[in-house]
Amino acid sequence: MPRTRLSQLVVGSVFAIATPALVAQEVIELPAEDRILEAEFEEVYRVGSIAGNAWEQFSRVSAVGFGQSGNLHVMDDQGGRVVVVSEVGELVHEFGRIGDGPGEFAGNTNTAVGFTVLRDGRAVVFDPGHGAFDVFGPDGEFDRSVRMPGNALYGMRTLLPARDGQNVITTRFSAFNMGGPAGGPEPPFRPVYRMVLTGDEAVQDTVIRAWRPSGDPGGFEPELMAGALPGGGLVYTDSSGYAIKVATGNGELTRVLTRPFQPEPVTARIRDREIERQLEEDEERRARSNSRFAAALAEMARERIQNMEFYHEVPVVRDLQTSWEGTIWVLRRGEEPASDGPIDVLTPDGRYIGTFAAGVTGMPDAFGPDGLAAFIERDEFDVTSVVVRRLPADVR
């Protein structure tokens, strides 16, 4: 497999946005041709049914996660609870409820809470209504609350467990004072934060300074996506090209994994189709919601979608996840600009394992020990279930 230095390589738009931190780092060029993998995943169990037990009738599943015991945690944020399921799909316990007391959630049904599970089975919930992280023990007992500094309103929809076993990682972080964004103007980079939770107040540690597109956010803007690796390392992608960046735990870039797939230029036809698609999705969301707040914002959302700006090209990568044992799963775009395509499986040291063809499997919503993987699924009646499958050894 060819290896070179970034200062000697230009691949389409992947490195047109390279920052100084990327200079002279190892680049590994992976094969252009897909090596197809069979998606023969053993189903272990599934939970979530209107005809099932009362504990598995979920209101809204916003996130799932595993601890090292293999127990699955299901965050039902509209229900204000976390349900813990054993390796055979049986209820272990559940905890949390709507309220203002210790270990209770504010219950804002319009804002999904942040949620993740640390390796030892402790659960971390970021409750935007209370502006704090709640930490629960493996037994579901409330341990402590770690508040965010100041009086800003914080949003932290995506949390990842840092492999140090104590803290969490986030790329989707926002802070607002009543008069606008907290802390002044946005920095010229997009941060990957390690939220240090060892004290009474959370500390934001910026471990990666990723590339930030110029101008206002718009349609098809490349997302910053990150995952944690065994040993404390991180993997992330921040550009419209296929550039998967592997870093140490302190953010030092060690290598970039590339495949020769190019972003698609955004045309007027693509813009019109994406606006139409987003309007249809917004209509469906509002039809499912009973919230007066959501109804009041409907016209504003419609106007925003109709007048949205667009990035100049459609990114290659749509999602990135890391498994329990450290493989990197990369979801590429499909035939349509906003559709899911094939899923590549890579190793952090630059080995290409293979590709699941488009449509044969979705991206796991959580990886667990011994090849366990959880998938959040919805049926034609919009009933949510969580399916746990076991992955083959070569893609774990």
Side-chain angles (χ1 to χ4, degrees), residues 4 28 30 87 106 109 133 136 170 185 258 274 283 330 333 359 374:
T4 184
I28 301 178
L30 302 174
E87 289 183 284
T109 59
F133 294 91
F136 298 84
T170 184
T258 75
E274 178 62 11
E283 289 285 348
V330 181
R333 57 156 290 188

Side-chain angles (χ1 to χ4, degrees), residues 11-329:
V11 181
S13 63
V14 173
F15 302 113
I17 47 75
T19 63
L22 292 179
V23 175
Q25 302 300 327
E26 181 185 34
V27 173
I28 301 178
E29 299 175 72
L30 302 174
E33 184 176 352
D34 287 342
R35 181 188 306 131
I36 299 300
L37 300 170
E38 296 295 328
E40 297 177 349
F41 305 160
E42 171 199 356
E43 182 171 317
V44 182
Y45 63 86
R46 64 176 60 216
V47 294
S49 168
I50 57 175
N53 298 301
W55 61 265
E56 59 176 323
Q57 296 175 15
F58 304 121
S59 299
R60 179 176 66 184
V61 177
S62 60
V64 290
F66 289 95
Q68 62 188 3
S69 68
N71 286 350
L72 173 71
H73 293 61
V74 180
M75 181 72 228
D76 181 2
D77 62 352
Q78 280 191 350
R81 62 182 182 141
V82 177
V83 177
V84 182
V85 184
S86 75
E87 289 183 284
V88 294
E90 297 177 346
L91 176 66
V92 177
H93 54 253
E94 55 183 286
F95 57 89
R97 62 181 180 181
I98 303 297
D100 292 319
E104 297 177 341
F105 311 135
N108 183 344
T109 59
N110 298 298
T111 304
V113 301
F115 175 77
T116 195
V117 182
L118 303 180
R119 285 230 159 184
D120 63 3
R122 285 178 297 152
V124 179
V125 179
F126 179 73
D127 185 350
H130 292 146
F133 294 91
D134 286 337
V135 182
F136 298 84
D139 57 1
E141 290 296 315
F142 175 68
D143 180 12
R144 58 198 175 90
S145 183
V146 183
R147 66 182 182 276
M148 289 296 294
N151 297 313
L153 299 175
Y154 291 94
M156 223 170 302
R157 186 158 57 90
T158 300
L159 296 182
L160 304 168
R163 295 300 177 94
D164 58 15
Q166 296 289 329
N167 306 303
V168 297
I169 301 293
T170 184
T171 59
R172 297 185 180 182
F173 175 91
S174 58
F176 291 91
N177 288 319
M178 294 305 291
E186 289 185 334
F189 57 86
R190 289 183 291 180
V192 176
Y193 287 120
R194 179 186 294 112
M195 307 302 295
V196 180
L197 306 180
T198 52
D200 294 331
E201 185 173 277
V203 177
Q204 299 169 225
D205 178 16
T206 303
V207 290
I208 289 174
R209 290 169 168 80
W211 170 73
R212 178 185 293 280
S214 60
D216 295 330
F220 298 126
E221 178 180 301
E223 287 191 44
L224 171 60
M225 295 169 278
L229 296 170
L234 296 168
V235 59
Y236 68 100
T237 184
D238 57 0
S239 71
S240 57
Y242 195 109
I244 310 303
K245 299 164 186 177
V246 182
T248 64
N250 62 9
E252 180 183 356
L253 189 69
T254 58
R255 65 184 59 86
V256 182
L257 314 181
T258 75
R259 296 193 72 191
F261 303 125
Q262 302 304 317
E264 179 181 5
V266 173
T267 63
R269 176 174 173 271
I270 288 177
R271 285 197 298 270
D272 291 344
R273 289 173 61 186
E274 178 62 11
I275 288 173
E276 181 180 358
R277 186 191 68 82
Q278 290 200 24
L279 287 172
E280 290 176 353
E281 282 193 352
D282 186 62
E283 289 285 348
E284 292 176 0
R285 280 193 298 269
R286 288 192 287 116
R288 294 194 301 265
S289 175
N290 295 320
S291 167
R292 294 180 182 178
F293 181 74
L297 293 179
E299 188 58 36
M300 186 184 302
R302 185 176 184 83
E303 182 177 351
R304 176 187 58 80
I305 293 171
Q306 289 174 330
N307 296 305
M308 69 187 299
E309 298 294 327
F310 280 82
Y311 192 66
H312 66 276
E313 55 191 10
V314 180
V316 175
V317 177
R318 287 179 56 80
D319 194 9
L320 179 147
Q321 304 281 349
T322 51
S323 75
W324 187 273
E325 296 181 18
T327 58
I328 304 168
W329 290 49

